[in-house]
Amino acid sequence: TSPAWLATLEAGAPDVVACWRVFDPTFDGLKALRRELRARVQTGDAPRILAQQEAVGDELERLLLAMPARLLSAPGGEDDWNVAQAFAHTTAGRRFLGTWAALDAGGEWPKEHAPVVTPSVPGRADASREELLVLLDKSRRAIREAAARIQGHERQRCGMDHPLIGHLRCGEWLLFLGIHDCGHLEQLHRLLEADGSSARPADA
């Protein structure tokens, strides 16, 4: 049974959630993810994928605004990071993975210097809610710009290499951004539910 937040997100981001459902870090899970991504990204799909990433961004913003300020320094669900570090990390992934895929789509990365992703880099531990909202807004602008540049090149192989995911096509990276976000959304929802604060407005 899907948690309520995931079922709600699925209405606005069906391809993102479908890929998230099959994803796990095992060999078979990664193969399933790549198959699902390949099936859901066709030439010309960038605007449709962008609309789904906007829905994911809306959910990230909603959770951040619902988060009591004291929880920003609580354990964030990944390694020893707190919530602020994990949230800043996911906004960085949204910004840079999409931008790098867009540069590759436009032929702006020298093939011998294609970017290699360094996963699990946390953000600042003392970032405020206002700073995190700024980072989220920057990520949303970056994804919009990336989608515009990737449109028409969705099925072009991208040279960017991720140590876990490997290589994807440019449009598949655009879709993958929301899958990564879902992992952090799940962590934040669990934290809010455990705290009993999911229905309360954020404090100062």
Side-chain angles (χ1 to χ4, degrees):
T1 302
S2 295
W5 72 267
L6 189 62
T8 299
L9 181 62
E10 189 170 20
D15 295 306
V16 170
V17 173
C19 291
W20 164 249
R21 290 186 192 280
V22 303
F23 175 54
D24 68 61
T26 65
F27 177 76
D28 287 340
L30 292 170
K31 284 179 63 177
L33 172 63
R34 285 190 284 268
R35 284 196 302 269
E36 198 72 25
L37 286 165
R38 185 65 52 90
R40 291 176 179 273
V41 179
Q42 304 299 323
T43 301
D45 277 352
R48 180 178 59 79
I49 297 170
L50 173 61
Q52 297 188 43
Q53 300 300 2
E54 294 284 15
V56 175
D58 288 344
E59 181 64 3
L60 284 167
E61 182 174 357
R62 188 182 75 80
L63 256 67
L64 183 58
L65 291 173
M67 183 79 58
R70 59 186 167 76
L71 289 185
L72 294 180
S73 59
E78 184 163 342
D79 296 329
D80 59 351
W81 303 354
N82 66 20
V83 169
Q85 288 175 297
F87 195 95
H89 158 82
T90 203
T91 63
R94 288 164 60 85
R95 287 177 66 190
F96 295 112
L97 293 181
T99 297
W100 290 341
L103 289 172
D104 198 301
E108 297 176 52
W109 276 111
K111 294 303 180 185
E112 65 275 17
H113 298 297
V116 177
V117 178
T118 302
S120 298
V121 177
R124 255 185 42 233
D126 61 347
S128 68
R129 189 196 322 279
E130 291 70 25
E131 290 171 317
L132 295 173
L133 285 169
V134 169
L135 292 177
L136 177 59
D137 187 56
K138 286 181 177 179
S139 79
R140 299 185 80 157
R141 292 200 305 269
I143 291 175
R144 291 165 194 152
E145 293 169 5
R149 300 177 75 170
I150 289 172
Q151 187 172 3
H153 302 276
E154 289 90 344
R155 292 177 64 81
Q156 177 179 314
R157 186 182 186 277
C158 182
M160 180 167 57
D161 188 20
H162 189 293
L164 179 64
I165 306 301
H167 292 279
L168 297 175
R169 295 175 177 180
C170 294
E172 293 167 7
W173 278 120
L174 188 65
L175 180 54
F176 176 79
L177 303 179
I179 301 164
H180 175 251
D181 290 335
C182 279
H184 292 285
L185 283 169
E186 182 177 57
Q187 293 165 355
L188 293 174
H189 275 285
R190 285 178 176 172
L191 179 61
L192 281 170
E193 289 166 8
D195 185 70
S197 59
S198 58
R200 296 205 304 265
D203 54 27

